[in-house]
Amino acid sequence: MITKRIIPCLDVKDGRVVKGVNFAGLADVNDPVALGRFYSDNGADELVFYDITASAEGRRLFTDVLTRVASTIFIPLTVGGGINTLEDFDRVLKCGADKVSVNSGALRDPSLIGKAAKKYGDQCVVLSVDARRVDGQYHVFARGGREDTGRELLDWVRRGVDAGAGEIVLNSIDTDGVRQGFDLEMLDAVCQVAPVPVIASGGAGCIQDFITLFKTLPAVDAGLAASIFHFGQVAIPDLKRQLADAGINVRL
């Protein structure tokens, strides 16, 4: 049985971890270095670091903060934000990232996925997708959820996997920060077309939401969350114990 992963997410803006609702109304949370170390020491399986305004501001990802985070944790690190070229992949990998998450950069240049997969391996390339419902369809959004690309979600996921993406992170803008549960409908649709690991992001509000996620959608490989971990509503060791009690395979 595949072990399900629990992944905290650090959304970083101006060198600080922030969190909002539906990708808006960002509030300061904590220092990313201290928070990353805390999660590494307290049972997180992996850590995701997003420089959430790099693409919207048209700049490179902040590597100084990233390097300090990478040097203090002992779990796999996925990094995204402002990844537009192979040079960007190289830069963040040299800072200590294990995987690189690409979103807006791939939307602008879909060939980036294949080029990166060929150079660094499929396992290094994570396609992060921000999606929400528009007129009854799932649309892909760019620039931190600010821009509707008009692309249909499932077509984009298929294209990314065919190009060499080794993992999909699905961020549902509709459920982001609302804490009413993961977007099971959208996740199910993606799992049906993606023969690679799928990470659920957006909407976790309590431990039961993770149990429901993994019980309802066994094809989902991991649950990613921010607010409930950052603000102490859920402790990862407690979450994992309850998942194990529910018959879900996790690393304790």
Side-chain angles (χ1 to χ4, degrees):
M1 191 188 307
I2 295 175
T3 300
K4 303 301 184 183
R5 292 171 285 153
I6 301 302
I7 307 175
C9 178
L10 307 183
D11 293 324
V12 179
K13 180 178 186 291
D14 299 328
R16 297 283 295 179
V17 177
V18 296
K19 195 68 191 85
V21 176
N22 304 128
F23 282 30
L26 300 176
D28 184 84
V29 175
N30 207 327
D31 168 53
V33 179
L35 204 52
R37 184 186 303 117
F38 173 79
Y39 289 136
S40 179
D41 292 343
N42 284 273
D45 295 297
E46 297 184 17
L47 186 69
V48 169
F49 178 110
Y50 287 141
D51 186 338
I52 60 171
T53 58
S55 291
E57 294 172 2
R59 60 167 171 78
R60 290 181 168 185
L61 181 145
F62 289 127
T63 53
D64 54 345
V65 176
L66 168 59
T67 301
R68 288 191 288 130
V69 171
S71 67
T72 60
I73 67 172
F74 301 95
I75 53 177
L77 174 63
T78 298
V79 177
I83 305 297
N84 297 296
T85 65
L86 287 181
E87 290 73 22
D88 291 328
F89 269 79
D90 194 60
R91 195 161 45 88
V92 298
L93 289 169
K94 286 178 178 175
C95 289
D98 298 282
K99 294 183 278 189
V100 181
S101 175
V102 62
N103 187 332
S104 296
L107 288 164
R108 282 189 293 272
D109 177 14
S111 71
L112 177 61
I113 299 170
K115 291 174 184 175
K118 184 176 181 180
K119 184 170 183 179
Y120 301 108
D122 292 9
Q123 78 289 341
C124 181
V125 183
V126 178
L127 179 60
S128 180
V129 186
D130 299 331
R132 76 185 316 163
R133 291 161 179 81
V134 178
D135 298 328
Q137 292 188 319
Y138 299 134
H139 279 207
V140 176
F141 280 68
R143 301 178 68 246
R146 296 169 178 82
E147 176 187 309
D148 185 353
T149 67
R151 290 180 186 265
E152 200 279 324
L153 170 64
L154 302 185
D155 287 343
W156 178 236
V157 168
R158 286 191 195 95
R159 183 172 179 179
V161 172
D162 289 344
E167 195 165 74
I168 302 292
V169 176
L170 178 64
N171 311 296
S172 172
I173 301 173
D174 293 326
T175 59
D176 175 72
V178 179
R179 305 187 196 183
Q180 295 296 311
F182 291 97
D183 197 327
L184 300 178
E185 180 184 52
M186 190 185 294
L187 283 160
D188 184 39
V190 168
C191 285
Q192 290 188 39
V193 302
V196 298
V198 173
I199 298 174
S201 173
C206 62
I207 288 175
Q208 184 58 47
D209 290 335
F210 285 88
I211 295 173
T212 300
L213 170 69
F214 295 129
K215 287 285 192 181
T216 306
L217 299 176
V220 170
D221 288 77
L224 182 150
S227 299
I228 60 168
F229 298 144
H230 297 344
F231 298 117
Q233 284 95 344
V234 172
I236 291 175
D238 294 339
L239 168 59
K240 286 190 163 185
R241 280 192 291 271
Q242 291 197 39
L243 286 170
D245 289 345
I248 296 163
N249 193 29
V250 291
R251 179 182 65 84
L252 295 173

